[in-house]
Amino acid sequence: MHTTAGSPRQVLIFDADDTLWENNILFERVIDNYLDWVAHPTLDRTQIRAILNDVEAANAITHGYGSKMFLRSLGETLERLYARSATEAELRHIDTLAVALLEDRMELVPGVVETLTALGARHDLMLLTKGDTEEQQRKIDASALAHHFRSTHIVPEKGVDVYVDLMREHALAPETTWMIGNSPKSDILPARGAGLGAVFIPNAHTWVLEQSELDPHDERVLTLAAFPDLLRHF
């Protein structure tokens, strides 16, 4: 059964990127500009994007997530397209395309501040985000949201083991603990694998590598249209 507003105190664990603030849309804007810039004699934008996706997927395993991995992937995609090393001028141009990613511009999802304030008055809130530690901490600081959470956690990847360890560290009961996020791959499926409830709030700009199929019959996965809808359930 899903919890409802006014129910006993719960522990709500929040994802950060594309749940609390917009993130992937910044990367998508860079990719659009990159595809405009890369001129290939035989491959179209869709084909080049597919190559970039493959390069990012491989780099995520060995280099983690964030803007550094992304810039590396743009350079390696260029090298794969032209079967040569990228020039210094090309790498500088890629850096110029991606400057917005390094400026810590923060666009909170609508209703986040008000919703976290109300939820924090009746539940215990935590933050769990993955990626480069320094980069994610800069985002948390820029968001000015950290005071809403009793603890914040930055991990390189979100697997079932991460959720199990977090529950053990904080003595969390799975029946009263919920993971809230936009990523089926990182937020919903591993949280459910660890026995937590999960709240899926889709974001139209979620990274393609974070997509995965969810079980429509899983009664402990609650799907909401917008972040403020949490107030009707918790």
Side-chain angles (χ1 to χ4, degrees):
M1 296 294 291
H2 297 314
T3 186
T4 58
S7 61
R9 200 167 187 88
Q10 313 275 321
V11 176
L12 308 181
I13 307 171
F14 290 85
D15 170 52
D17 291 338
D18 295 314
T19 297
L20 301 179
W21 53 73
E22 298 292 353
N23 179 68
N24 197 55
I25 190 172
L26 300 179
F27 289 83
E28 291 296 332
R29 290 167 183 163
V30 174
I31 291 172
D32 282 342
N33 292 333
Y34 177 84
L35 295 176
D36 289 340
W37 170 63
V38 174
H40 194 275
T42 60
L43 300 179
D44 62 21
R45 292 171 69 93
T46 300
Q47 292 168 312
I48 296 172
R49 179 60 190 268
I51 293 172
L52 174 60
N53 289 344
D54 288 343
V55 171
E56 284 194 283
N59 277 337
I61 295 172
T62 54
H63 300 290
Y65 300 91
S67 58
K68 293 176 184 177
M69 182 278 282
F70 179 65
L71 291 175
R72 174 190 289 267
S73 297
L74 294 179
E76 290 182 5
T77 298
L78 188 70
E79 293 175 350
R80 186 178 296 189
L81 288 172
Y82 292 103
R84 61 167 175 79
S85 298
T87 67
E88 287 298 321
E90 288 169 338
L91 292 176
R92 284 197 301 271
H93 186 73
I94 289 173
D95 287 342
T96 300
L97 290 175
V99 67
L101 299 177
L102 307 175
E103 293 181 345
D104 295 321
R105 297 177 185 175
M106 188 57 56
E107 180 182 340
L108 296 181
V109 168
V112 159
V113 172
E114 299 83 357
T115 303
L116 290 179
T117 299
L119 290 175
R122 53 184 184 252
H123 301 294
D124 295 325
L125 313 185
M126 301 171 66
L127 181 66
L128 176 63
T129 180
K130 74 175 183 179
D132 178 80
T133 300
E134 181 180 340
E135 184 171 350
Q136 291 305 104
Q137 188 60 57
R138 287 201 309 269
K139 292 186 203 175
I140 293 170
D141 293 342
S143 75
L145 295 176
H147 68 281
H148 290 286
F149 305 103
R150 79 179 196 191
S151 64
T152 61
H153 305 265
I154 302 172
V155 295
E157 185 60 273
K158 289 180 183 174
V160 173
D161 58 330
V162 168
Y163 291 91
V164 170
D165 289 345
L166 188 66
M167 293 168 65
R168 183 182 301 115
E169 177 185 354
H170 292 273
L172 305 179
E175 62 272 14
T176 56
T177 303
W178 297 76
M179 178 64 197
I180 299 161
N182 69 292
S183 168
K185 176 178 176 287
S186 295
D187 301 325
I188 309 305
L189 293 176
R192 289 295 298 120
L196 285 70
V199 182
F200 178 44
I201 307 178
N203 185 309
H205 305 290
T206 295
W207 190 23
V208 63
L209 298 184
E210 291 293 332
Q211 302 287 1
S212 191
E213 291 295 321
L214 298 177
D215 180 359
H217 304 295
D218 188 342
E219 294 186 353
R220 291 209 74 206
V221 174
L222 174 63
T223 300
L224 301 179
F227 196 86
D229 292 344
L230 287 164
L231 295 176
R232 295 191 288 105
H233 297 273
F234 294 95

PDB file of all heavy atoms in Angstrom, residues 6-38:
ATOM      1  N   GLY A   6      -0.211  12.642   5.988  1.00  0.00           N
ATOM      2  CA  GLY A   6      -0.660  12.502   7.360  1.00  0.00           C
ATOM      3  C   GLY A   6      -0.324  11.158   7.964  1.00  0.00           C
ATOM      4  O   GLY A   6      -0.643  10.893   9.116  1.00  0.00           O
ATOM      5  N   SER A   7       0.335  10.262   7.203  1.00  0.00           N
ATOM      6  CA  SER A   7       0.703   8.946   7.709  1.00  0.00           C
ATOM      7  C   SER A   7       1.900   9.072   8.648  1.00  0.00           C
ATOM      8  O   SER A   7       2.528  10.121   8.737  1.00  0.00           O
ATOM      9  CB  SER A   7       1.052   8.027   6.537  1.00  0.00           C
ATOM     10  OG  SER A   7       2.154   8.533   5.819  1.00  0.00           O
ATOM     11  N   PRO A   8       2.242   8.018   9.391  1.00  0.00           N
ATOM     12  CA  PRO A   8       3.362   8.088  10.324  1.00  0.00           C
ATOM     13  C   PRO A   8       4.653   8.524   9.625  1.00  0.00           C
ATOM     14  O   PRO A   8       4.787   8.413   8.407  1.00  0.00           O
ATOM     15  CB  PRO A   8       3.469   6.648  10.836  1.00  0.00           C
ATOM     16  CG  PRO A   8       2.093   6.100  10.675  1.00  0.00           C
ATOM     17  CD  PRO A   8       1.558   6.727   9.416  1.00  0.00           C
ATOM     18  N   ARG A   9       5.594   8.981  10.414  1.00  0.00           N
ATOM     19  CA  ARG A   9       6.847   9.539   9.898  1.00  0.00           C
ATOM     20  C   ARG A   9       7.580   8.521   9.018  1.00  0.00           C
ATOM     21  O   ARG A   9       7.744   7.367   9.385  1.00  0.00           O
ATOM     22  CB  ARG A   9       7.741   9.977  11.055  1.00  0.00           C
ATOM     23  CG  ARG A   9       8.811  10.971  10.669  1.00  0.00           C
ATOM     24  CD  ARG A   9       9.442  11.590  11.898  1.00  0.00           C
ATOM     25  NE  ARG A   9      10.361  12.665  11.528  1.00  0.00           N
ATOM     26  CZ  ARG A   9       9.990  13.931  11.365  1.00  0.00           C
ATOM     27  NH1 ARG A   9       8.715  14.280  11.553  1.00  0.00           N
ATOM     28  NH2 ARG A   9      10.879  14.857  11.035  1.00  0.00           N
ATOM     29  N   GLN A  10       7.984   8.984   7.848  1.00  0.00           N
ATOM     30  CA  GLN A  10       8.695   8.150   6.883  1.00  0.00           C
ATOM     31  C   GLN A  10      10.115   8.694   6.704  1.00  0.00           C
ATOM     32  O   GLN A  10      10.425   9.820   7.099  1.00  0.00           O
ATOM     33  CB  GLN A  10       7.989   8.203   5.515  1.00  0.00           C
ATOM     34  CG  GLN A  10       6.489   8.012   5.545  1.00  0.00           C
ATOM     35  CD  GLN A  10       6.094   6.555   5.541  1.00  0.00           C
ATOM     36  OE1 GLN A  10       6.694   5.733   4.865  1.00  0.00           O
ATOM     37  NE2 GLN A  10       5.055   6.223   6.288  1.00  0.00           N
ATOM     38  N   VAL A  11      10.971   7.910   6.068  1.00  0.00           N
ATOM     39  CA  VAL A  11      12.279   8.381   5.618  1.00  0.00           C
ATOM     40  C   VAL A  11      12.214   8.499   4.101  1.00  0.00           C
ATOM     41  O   VAL A  11      11.932   7.513   3.412  1.00  0.00           O
ATOM     42  CB  VAL A  11      13.413   7.424   6.035  1.00  0.00           C
ATOM     43  CG1 VAL A  11      14.744   7.908   5.466  1.00  0.00           C
ATOM     44  CG2 VAL A  11      13.491   7.319   7.550  1.00  0.00           C
ATOM     45  N   LEU A  12      12.438   9.692   3.593  1.00  0.00           N
ATOM     46  CA  LEU A  12      12.366   9.953   2.159  1.00  0.00           C
ATOM     47  C   LEU A  12      13.765  10.288   1.657  1.00  0.00           C
ATOM     48  O   LEU A  12      14.370  11.279   2.087  1.00  0.00           O
ATOM     49  CB  LEU A  12      11.407  11.115   1.874  1.00  0.00           C
ATOM     50  CG  LEU A  12      10.005  11.015   2.480  1.00  0.00           C
ATOM     51  CD1 LEU A  12       9.169  12.235   2.093  1.00  0.00           C
ATOM     52  CD2 LEU A  12       9.318   9.732   2.050  1.00  0.00           C
ATOM     53  N   ILE A  13      14.274   9.460   0.768  1.00  0.00           N
ATOM     54  CA  ILE A  13      15.614   9.640   0.205  1.00  0.00           C
ATOM     55  C   ILE A  13      15.460  10.211  -1.196  1.00  0.00           C
ATOM     56  O   ILE A  13      14.797   9.611  -2.051  1.00  0.00           O
ATOM     57  CB  ILE A  13      16.390   8.317   0.157  1.00  0.00           C
ATOM     58  CG1 ILE A  13      16.399   7.647   1.538  1.00  0.00           C
ATOM     59  CG2 ILE A  13      17.808   8.545  -0.334  1.00  0.00           C
ATOM     60  CD1 ILE A  13      16.969   6.235   1.525  1.00  0.00           C
ATOM     61  N   PHE A  14      16.084  11.347  -1.451  1.00  0.00           N
ATOM     62  CA  PHE A  14      15.916  12.036  -2.726  1.00  0.00           C
ATOM     63  C   PHE A  14      17.152  11.919  -3.605  1.00  0.00           C
ATOM     64  O   PHE A  14      18.281  12.111  -3.147  1.00  0.00           O
ATOM     65  CB  PHE A  14      15.624  13.527  -2.488  1.00  0.00           C
ATOM     66  CG  PHE A  14      14.269  13.792  -1.913  1.00  0.00           C
ATOM     67  CD1 PHE A  14      14.067  13.721  -0.547  1.00  0.00           C
ATOM     68  CD2 PHE A  14      13.191  14.088  -2.732  1.00  0.00           C
ATOM     69  CE1 PHE A  14      12.812  13.960   0.007  1.00  0.00           C
ATOM     70  CE2 PHE A  14      11.932  14.330  -2.200  1.00  0.00           C
ATOM     71  CZ  PHE A  14      11.743  14.265  -0.829  1.00  0.00           C
ATOM     72  N   ASP A  15      16.915  11.641  -4.867  1.00  0.00           N
ATOM     73  CA  ASP A  15      17.922  11.820  -5.902  1.00  0.00           C
ATOM     74  C   ASP A  15      18.113  13.325  -6.100  1.00  0.00           C
ATOM     75  O   ASP A  15      17.272  14.126  -5.667  1.00  0.00           O
ATOM     76  CB  ASP A  15      17.439  11.150  -7.188  1.00  0.00           C
ATOM     77  CG  ASP A  15      18.298  11.483  -8.381  1.00  0.00           C
ATOM     78  OD1 ASP A  15      19.525  11.317  -8.297  1.00  0.00           O
ATOM     79  OD2 ASP A  15      17.745  11.938  -9.407  1.00  0.00           O
ATOM     80  N   ALA A  16      19.178  13.728  -6.779  1.00  0.00           N
ATOM     81  CA  ALA A  16      19.442  15.153  -6.982  1.00  0.00           C
ATOM     82  C   ALA A  16      19.254  15.563  -8.443  1.00  0.00           C
ATOM     83  O   ALA A  16      18.284  16.237  -8.802  1.00  0.00           O
ATOM     84  CB  ALA A  16      20.851  15.489  -6.505  1.00  0.00           C
ATOM     85  N   ASP A  17      20.191  15.145  -9.324  1.00  0.00           N
ATOM     86  CA  ASP A  17      20.135  15.560 -10.724  1.00  0.00           C
ATOM     87  C   ASP A  17      18.828  15.131 -11.383  1.00  0.00           C
ATOM     88  O   ASP A  17      18.453  13.958 -11.348  1.00  0.00           O
ATOM     89  CB  ASP A  17      21.304  14.947 -11.513  1.00  0.00           C
ATOM     90  CG  ASP A  17      22.644  15.539 -11.110  1.00  0.00           C
ATOM     91  OD1 ASP A  17      22.665  16.660 -10.568  1.00  0.00           O
ATOM     92  OD2 ASP A  17      23.680  14.878 -11.354  1.00  0.00           O
ATOM     93  N   ASP A  18      18.149  16.088 -11.982  1.00  0.00           N
ATOM     94  CA  ASP A  18      16.902  15.881 -12.727  1.00  0.00           C
ATOM     95  C   ASP A  18      15.735  15.437 -11.849  1.00  0.00           C
ATOM     96  O   ASP A  18      14.680  15.061 -12.353  1.00  0.00           O
ATOM     97  CB  ASP A  18      17.109  14.903 -13.894  1.00  0.00           C
ATOM     98  CG  ASP A  18      18.061  15.476 -14.937  1.00  0.00           C
ATOM     99  OD1 ASP A  18      17.885  16.658 -15.287  1.00  0.00           O
ATOM    100  OD2 ASP A  18      18.977  14.765 -15.375  1.00  0.00           O
ATOM    101  N   THR A  19      15.942  15.485 -10.536  1.00  0.00           N
ATOM    102  CA  THR A  19      14.851  15.302  -9.572  1.00  0.00           C
ATOM    103  C   THR A  19      14.628  16.599  -8.794  1.00  0.00           C
ATOM    104  O   THR A  19      13.519  17.115  -8.747  1.00  0.00           O
ATOM    105  CB  THR A  19      15.145  14.155  -8.604  1.00  0.00           C
ATOM    106  OG1 THR A  19      15.239  12.921  -9.334  1.00  0.00           O
ATOM    107  CG2 THR A  19      14.029  14.015  -7.561  1.00  0.00           C
ATOM    108  N   LEU A  20      15.717  17.136  -8.223  1.00  0.00           N
ATOM    109  CA  LEU A  20      15.632  18.405  -7.500  1.00  0.00           C
ATOM    110  C   LEU A  20      15.960  19.591  -8.399  1.00  0.00           C
ATOM    111  O   LEU A  20      15.409  20.679  -8.230  1.00  0.00           O
ATOM    112  CB  LEU A  20      16.586  18.405  -6.306  1.00  0.00           C
ATOM    113  CG  LEU A  20      16.366  17.313  -5.258  1.00  0.00           C
ATOM    114  CD1 LEU A  20      17.410  17.433  -4.158  1.00  0.00           C
ATOM    115  CD2 LEU A  20      14.957  17.390  -4.685  1.00  0.00           C
ATOM    116  N   TRP A  21      16.875  19.384  -9.312  1.00  0.00           N
ATOM    117  CA  TRP A  21      17.245  20.447 -10.255  1.00  0.00           C
ATOM    118  C   TRP A  21      17.470  19.845 -11.639  1.00  0.00           C
ATOM    119  O   TRP A  21      17.746  18.655 -11.792  1.00  0.00           O
ATOM    120  CB  TRP A  21      18.501  21.186  -9.792  1.00  0.00           C
ATOM    121  CG  TRP A  21      19.686  20.316  -9.491  1.00  0.00           C
ATOM    122  CD1 TRP A  21      20.492  19.655 -10.387  1.00  0.00           C
ATOM    123  CD2 TRP A  21      20.206  19.992  -8.196  1.00  0.00           C
ATOM    124  NE1 TRP A  21      21.463  18.957  -9.737  1.00  0.00           N
ATOM    125  CE2 TRP A  21      21.328  19.143  -8.395  1.00  0.00           C
ATOM    126  CE3 TRP A  21      19.851  20.346  -6.888  1.00  0.00           C
ATOM    127  CZ2 TRP A  21      22.084  18.647  -7.342  1.00  0.00           C
ATOM    128  CZ3 TRP A  21      20.607  19.855  -5.839  1.00  0.00           C
ATOM    129  CH2 TRP A  21      21.708  19.017  -6.064  1.00  0.00           C
ATOM    130  N   GLU A  22      17.323  20.710 -12.641  1.00  0.00           N
ATOM    131  CA  GLU A  22      17.545  20.273 -14.018  1.00  0.00           C
ATOM    132  C   GLU A  22      19.035  20.055 -14.242  1.00  0.00           C
ATOM    133  O   GLU A  22      19.871  20.859 -13.811  1.00  0.00           O
ATOM    134  CB  GLU A  22      17.024  21.309 -15.015  1.00  0.00           C
ATOM    135  CG  GLU A  22      15.529  21.558 -14.929  1.00  0.00           C
ATOM    136  CD  GLU A  22      14.678  20.371 -15.376  1.00  0.00           C
ATOM    137  OE1 GLU A  22      15.247  19.385 -15.879  1.00  0.00           O
ATOM    138  OE2 GLU A  22      13.456  20.431 -15.217  1.00  0.00           O
ATOM    139  N   ASN A  23      19.379  18.971 -14.900  1.00  0.00           N
ATOM    140  CA  ASN A  23      20.781  18.654 -15.137  1.00  0.00           C
ATOM    141  C   ASN A  23      21.024  18.186 -16.562  1.00  0.00           C
ATOM    142  O   ASN A  23      21.779  18.807 -17.309  1.00  0.00           O
ATOM    143  CB  ASN A  23      21.238  17.572 -14.154  1.00  0.00           C
ATOM    144  CG  ASN A  23      22.679  17.169 -14.359  1.00  0.00           C
ATOM    145  OD1 ASN A  23      23.589  17.950 -14.115  1.00  0.00           O
ATOM    146  ND2 ASN A  23      22.915  15.943 -14.825  1.00  0.00           N
ATOM    147  N   ASN A  24      20.347  17.129 -16.974  1.00  0.00           N
ATOM    148  CA  ASN A  24      20.675  16.547 -18.270  1.00  0.00           C
ATOM    149  C   ASN A  24      20.338  17.464 -19.436  1.00  0.00           C
ATOM    150  O   ASN A  24      20.957  17.381 -20.499  1.00  0.00           O
ATOM    151  CB  ASN A  24      19.962  15.202 -18.449  1.00  0.00           C
ATOM    152  CG  ASN A  24      20.589  14.385 -19.566  1.00  0.00           C
ATOM    153  OD1 ASN A  24      21.794  14.121 -19.554  1.00  0.00           O
ATOM    154  ND2 ASN A  24      19.795  14.009 -20.558  1.00  0.00           N
ATOM    155  N   ILE A  25      19.366  18.357 -19.256  1.00  0.00           N
ATOM    156  CA  ILE A  25      19.036  19.268 -20.350  1.00  0.00           C
ATOM    157  C   ILE A  25      20.236  20.141 -20.711  1.00  0.00           C
ATOM    158  O   ILE A  25      20.408  20.526 -21.879  1.00  0.00           O
ATOM    159  CB  ILE A  25      17.810  20.145 -19.989  1.00  0.00           C
ATOM    160  CG1 ILE A  25      17.331  20.895 -21.234  1.00  0.00           C
ATOM    161  CG2 ILE A  25      18.129  21.088 -18.836  1.00  0.00           C
ATOM    162  CD1 ILE A  25      16.026  21.623 -21.027  1.00  0.00           C
ATOM    163  N   LEU A  26      21.096  20.444 -19.718  1.00  0.00           N
ATOM    164  CA  LEU A  26      22.309  21.213 -20.017  1.00  0.00           C
ATOM    165  C   LEU A  26      23.238  20.416 -20.929  1.00  0.00           C
ATOM    166  O   LEU A  26      23.831  20.961 -21.862  1.00  0.00           O
ATOM    167  CB  LEU A  26      23.028  21.577 -18.722  1.00  0.00           C
ATOM    168  CG  LEU A  26      22.250  22.414 -17.710  1.00  0.00           C
ATOM    169  CD1 LEU A  26      23.097  22.666 -16.468  1.00  0.00           C
ATOM    170  CD2 LEU A  26      21.803  23.726 -18.318  1.00  0.00           C
ATOM    171  N   PHE A  27      23.356  19.124 -20.653  1.00  0.00           N
ATOM    172  CA  PHE A  27      24.177  18.263 -21.495  1.00  0.00           C
ATOM    173  C   PHE A  27      23.567  18.133 -22.896  1.00  0.00           C
ATOM    174  O   PHE A  27      24.281  18.129 -23.902  1.00  0.00           O
ATOM    175  CB  PHE A  27      24.316  16.878 -20.862  1.00  0.00           C
ATOM    176  CG  PHE A  27      25.187  16.854 -19.637  1.00  0.00           C
ATOM    177  CD1 PHE A  27      24.684  17.198 -18.394  1.00  0.00           C
ATOM    178  CD2 PHE A  27      26.516  16.482 -19.726  1.00  0.00           C
ATOM    179  CE1 PHE A  27      25.482  17.178 -17.259  1.00  0.00           C
ATOM    180  CE2 PHE A  27      27.330  16.455 -18.598  1.00  0.00           C
ATOM    181  CZ  PHE A  27      26.812  16.805 -17.361  1.00  0.00           C
ATOM    182  N   GLU A  28      22.231  18.047 -22.956  1.00  0.00           N
ATOM    183  CA  GLU A  28      21.568  17.906 -24.256  1.00  0.00           C
ATOM    184  C   GLU A  28      21.774  19.152 -25.120  1.00  0.00           C
ATOM    185  O   GLU A  28      21.928  19.049 -26.344  1.00  0.00           O
ATOM    186  CB  GLU A  28      20.073  17.648 -24.060  1.00  0.00           C
ATOM    187  CG  GLU A  28      19.747  16.281 -23.472  1.00  0.00           C
ATOM    188  CD  GLU A  28      20.149  15.128 -24.375  1.00  0.00           C
ATOM    189  OE1 GLU A  28      20.189  15.318 -25.618  1.00  0.00           O
ATOM    190  OE2 GLU A  28      20.431  14.039 -23.852  1.00  0.00           O
ATOM    191  N   ARG A  29      21.791  20.322 -24.504  1.00  0.00           N
ATOM    192  CA  ARG A  29      22.049  21.554 -25.260  1.00  0.00           C
ATOM    193  C   ARG A  29      23.457  21.551 -25.833  1.00  0.00           C
ATOM    194  O   ARG A  29      23.676  21.969 -26.976  1.00  0.00           O
ATOM    195  CB  ARG A  29      21.835  22.761 -24.356  1.00  0.00           C
ATOM    196  CG  ARG A  29      20.377  23.005 -23.983  1.00  0.00           C
ATOM    197  CD  ARG A  29      20.266  24.012 -22.852  1.00  0.00           C
ATOM    198  NE  ARG A  29      18.883  24.203 -22.437  1.00  0.00           N
ATOM    199  CZ  ARG A  29      18.519  24.765 -21.286  1.00  0.00           C
ATOM    200  NH1 ARG A  29      19.453  25.216 -20.448  1.00  0.00           N
ATOM    201  NH2 ARG A  29      17.240  24.895 -20.970  1.00  0.00           N
ATOM    202  N   VAL A  30      24.409  21.061 -25.038  1.00  0.00           N
ATOM    203  CA  VAL A  30      25.781  20.955 -25.528  1.00  0.00           C
ATOM    204  C   VAL A  30      25.852  19.971 -26.690  1.00  0.00           C
ATOM    205  O   VAL A  30      26.515  20.227 -27.703  1.00  0.00           O
ATOM    206  CB  VAL A  30      26.738  20.531 -24.397  1.00  0.00           C
ATOM    207  CG1 VAL A  30      28.139  20.274 -24.938  1.00  0.00           C
ATOM    208  CG2 VAL A  30      26.775  21.588 -23.310  1.00  0.00           C
ATOM    209  N   ILE A  31      25.170  18.842 -26.557  1.00  0.00           N
ATOM    210  CA  ILE A  31      25.187  17.836 -27.616  1.00  0.00           C
ATOM    211  C   ILE A  31      24.588  18.399 -28.899  1.00  0.00           C
ATOM    212  O   ILE A  31      25.110  18.167 -30.003  1.00  0.00           O
ATOM    213  CB  ILE A  31      24.438  16.564 -27.167  1.00  0.00           C
ATOM    214  CG1 ILE A  31      25.232  15.861 -26.065  1.00  0.00           C
ATOM    215  CG2 ILE A  31      24.222  15.621 -28.359  1.00  0.00           C
ATOM    216  CD1 ILE A  31      24.500  14.703 -25.416  1.00  0.00           C
ATOM    217  N   ASP A  32      23.502  19.162 -28.794  1.00  0.00           N
ATOM    218  CA  ASP A  32      22.911  19.769 -29.989  1.00  0.00           C
ATOM    219  C   ASP A  32      23.922  20.671 -30.687  1.00  0.00           C
ATOM    220  O   ASP A  32      24.063  20.640 -31.922  1.00  0.00           O
ATOM    221  CB  ASP A  32      21.666  20.581 -29.615  1.00  0.00           C
ATOM    222  CG  ASP A  32      20.454  19.705 -29.384  1.00  0.00           C
ATOM    223  OD1 ASP A  32      20.469  18.536 -29.825  1.00  0.00           O
ATOM    224  OD2 ASP A  32      19.485  20.181 -28.762  1.00  0.00           O
ATOM    225  N   ASN A  33      24.633  21.479 -29.918  1.00  0.00           N
ATOM    226  CA  ASN A  33      25.642  22.363 -30.502  1.00  0.00           C
ATOM    227  C   ASN A  33      26.810  21.568 -31.082  1.00  0.00           C
ATOM    228  O   ASN A  33      27.366  21.927 -32.126  1.00  0.00           O
ATOM    229  CB  ASN A  33      26.154  23.349 -29.449  1.00  0.00           C
ATOM    230  CG  ASN A  33      25.101  24.354 -29.036  1.00  0.00           C
ATOM    231  OD1 ASN A  33      24.194  24.679 -29.812  1.00  0.00           O
ATOM    232  ND2 ASN A  33      25.194  24.853 -27.813  1.00  0.00           N
ATOM    233  N   TYR A  34      27.168  20.505 -30.405  1.00  0.00           N
ATOM    234  CA  TYR A  34      28.243  19.627 -30.877  1.00  0.00           C
ATOM    235  C   TYR A  34      27.872  18.995 -32.220  1.00  0.00           C
ATOM    236  O   TYR A  34      28.687  18.964 -33.157  1.00  0.00           O
ATOM    237  CB  TYR A  34      28.492  18.553 -29.821  1.00  0.00           C
ATOM    238  CG  TYR A  34      29.520  17.493 -30.159  1.00  0.00           C
ATOM    239  CD1 TYR A  34      30.874  17.720 -29.950  1.00  0.00           C
ATOM    240  CD2 TYR A  34      29.121  16.248 -30.636  1.00  0.00           C
ATOM    241  CE1 TYR A  34      31.819  16.740 -30.228  1.00  0.00           C
ATOM    242  CE2 TYR A  34      30.050  15.254 -30.900  1.00  0.00           C
ATOM    243  CZ  TYR A  34      31.397  15.506 -30.701  1.00  0.00           C
ATOM    244  OH  TYR A  34      32.322  14.533 -30.969  1.00  0.00           O
ATOM    245  N   LEU A  35      26.633  18.510 -32.322  1.00  0.00           N
ATOM    246  CA  LEU A  35      26.189  17.890 -33.572  1.00  0.00           C
ATOM    247  C   LEU A  35      26.100  18.914 -34.700  1.00  0.00           C
ATOM    248  O   LEU A  35      26.321  18.581 -35.872  1.00  0.00           O
ATOM    249  CB  LEU A  35      24.840  17.206 -33.369  1.00  0.00           C
ATOM    250  CG  LEU A  35      24.841  16.009 -32.405  1.00  0.00           C
ATOM    251  CD1 LEU A  35      23.426  15.477 -32.195  1.00  0.00           C
ATOM    252  CD2 LEU A  35      25.755  14.902 -32.908  1.00  0.00           C
ATOM    253  N   ASP A  36      25.767  20.153 -34.366  1.00  0.00           N
ATOM    254  CA  ASP A  36      25.788  21.209 -35.373  1.00  0.00           C
ATOM    255  C   ASP A  36      27.206  21.465 -35.876  1.00  0.00           C
ATOM    256  O   ASP A  36      27.418  21.771 -37.055  1.00  0.00           O
ATOM    257  CB  ASP A  36      25.236  22.520 -34.789  1.00  0.00           C
ATOM    258  CG  ASP A  36      23.740  22.476 -34.554  1.00  0.00           C
ATOM    259  OD1 ASP A  36      23.057  21.626 -35.174  1.00  0.00           O
ATOM    260  OD2 ASP A  36      23.249  23.276 -33.742  1.00  0.00           O
ATOM    261  N   TRP A  37      28.160  21.344 -34.960  1.00  0.00           N
ATOM    262  CA  TRP A  37      29.565  21.651 -35.282  1.00  0.00           C
ATOM    263  C   TRP A  37      30.245  20.513 -36.040  1.00  0.00           C
ATOM    264  O   TRP A  37      31.011  20.755 -36.977  1.00  0.00           O
ATOM    265  CB  TRP A  37      30.306  21.936 -33.971  1.00  0.00           C
ATOM    266  CG  TRP A  37      31.786  22.041 -34.088  1.00  0.00           C
ATOM    267  CD1 TRP A  37      32.508  22.970 -34.796  1.00  0.00           C
ATOM    268  CD2 TRP A  37      32.758  21.185 -33.467  1.00  0.00           C
ATOM    269  NE1 TRP A  37      33.850  22.758 -34.652  1.00  0.00           N
ATOM    270  CE2 TRP A  37      34.029  21.665 -33.833  1.00  0.00           C
ATOM    271  CE3 TRP A  37      32.663  20.076 -32.624  1.00  0.00           C
ATOM    272  CZ2 TRP A  37      35.216  21.065 -33.400  1.00  0.00           C
ATOM    273  CZ3 TRP A  37      33.813  19.480 -32.185  1.00  0.00           C
ATOM    274  CH2 TRP A  37      35.086  19.967 -32.575  1.00  0.00           C
ATOM    275  N   VAL A  38      29.968  19.279 -35.649  1.00  0.00           N
ATOM    276  CA  VAL A  38      30.614  18.131 -36.284  1.00  0.00           C
ATOM    277  C   VAL A  38      30.007  17.912 -37.675  1.00  0.00           C
ATOM    278  O   VAL A  38      28.815  17.650 -37.802  1.00  0.00           O
ATOM    279  CB  VAL A  38      30.443  16.854 -35.430  1.00  0.00           C
ATOM    280  CG1 VAL A  38      30.986  15.649 -36.185  1.00  0.00           C
ATOM    281  CG2 VAL A  38      31.151  17.007 -34.102  1.00  0.00           C
TER     282      VAL A  38
END
